[in-house]
Amino acid sequence: MIMAPATVDDLESLLGLESAGFDAPERWSRDSWAAELDADQRLVVVSREAGRVGAVACFSVLDETAELLRVVVAPDCRGRGTARRLVGAGKDWAQARGARRMLLEVRPDNEPALAVYRATGFQPIARRKDYYGTGRHAVVMECEI
Ligand SMILES: CC(C)(COP(=O)(O)OP(=O)(O)OC[C@H]1O[C@@H](n2cnc3c(N)ncnc32)[C@H](O)[C@@H]1OP(=O)(O)O)[C@@H](O)C(=O)NCCC(=O)NCCS
């Protein structure tokens, strides 16, 4: 498994990961991913295995606070520590840019994601009301870096 910054050539693969990883209303569009690839203070990192993109994660940083915006691993690549390594790469990237903490939002029923975040040092600190629609609150998690 090789981790590397994503390029526009990876857009099609990223859309494939979105389709496999999320229900339609939650998927990021091609435009959303293109904007992330273009944005300042963003890391879009992919893992490549057997000649294809097996996973992606996206991070931002502003002042001392970084955010984990997305992590998705292809179904046949899960359970091998890929998400853990991508989150680690994001923390290293953010730390090098002066970040002291990383935040994220997660659905409280997304057990695999919660497990990854707990395993990588995140703790719940708050909830964000109606983040995923009326009555569907997000858990906000924080990790010191
Ligand atoms: C969540 C997701 C990214 C995990 O990817 P992954 O590569 O399988 O995760 P890892 O193998 O790195 O697992 C890291 C830790 O989380 C735990 N974990 C991962 N998936 C788990 C699951 N389904 N159930 C229980 N624990 C799980 C692992 O046991 C591991 O802990 P350990 O290292 O102490 O054993 C993947 O399931 C996915 O892409 N889901 C769909 C997209 C999504 O919901 N993304 C998150 C919101 S943006």
Side-chain angles (χ1 to χ4, degrees), residues 21-22 69-74 77-85 106 110-113 115-117 119:
F22 298 101
L69 301 167
R70 202 75 161 169
V71 55
V72 50
V73 178
C77 297
R78 290 180 191 166
R80 293 193 227 142
T82 303
R84 180 193 273 280
R85 286 158 79 171
V106 60
N110 191 343
E111 287 299 338
V116 170
Y117 301 149

Side-chain angles (χ1 to χ4, degrees), residues 13-22 28 33 45-47 53-58 68-75 77-78 82-83 86-87 117:
S13 301
L14 302 190
L15 296 181
L17 290 172
E18 286 289 321
S19 299
F22 298 101
W28 282 10
W33 273 112
V45 58
V46 291
S47 80
V53 175
V56 64
C58 180
L68 196 174
L69 301 167
R70 202 75 161 169
V71 55
V72 50
V73 178
C77 297
R78 290 180 191 166
T82 303
L86 290 173
V87 172
Y117 301 149

Side-chain angles (χ1 to χ4, degrees), residues 68-143:
L68 196 174
L69 301 167
R70 202 75 161 169
V71 55
V72 50
V73 178
D76 60 323
C77 297
R78 290 180 191 166
R80 293 193 227 142
T82 303
R84 180 193 273 280
R85 286 158 79 171
L86 290 173
V87 172
K91 283 194 212 171
D92 290 347
W93 172 84
Q95 187 176 35
R97 278 153 191 80
R100 305 285 298 275
R101 62 180 189 153
M102 186 173 283
L103 298 175
L104 61 82
E105 285 92 18
V106 60
R107 290 172 59 128
D109 59 355
N110 191 343
E111 287 299 338
L114 287 164
V116 170
Y117 301 149
R118 279 190 224 104
T120 52
F122 287 87
Q123 293 186 330
I125 56 163
R127 290 196 300 163
R128 220 181 277 293
K129 187 170 160 54
D130 298 335
Y131 189 80
Y132 299 106
T134 306
R136 298 164 66 214
H137 315 313
V139 177
V140 181
M141 300 182 83
E142 178 184 40
C143 175

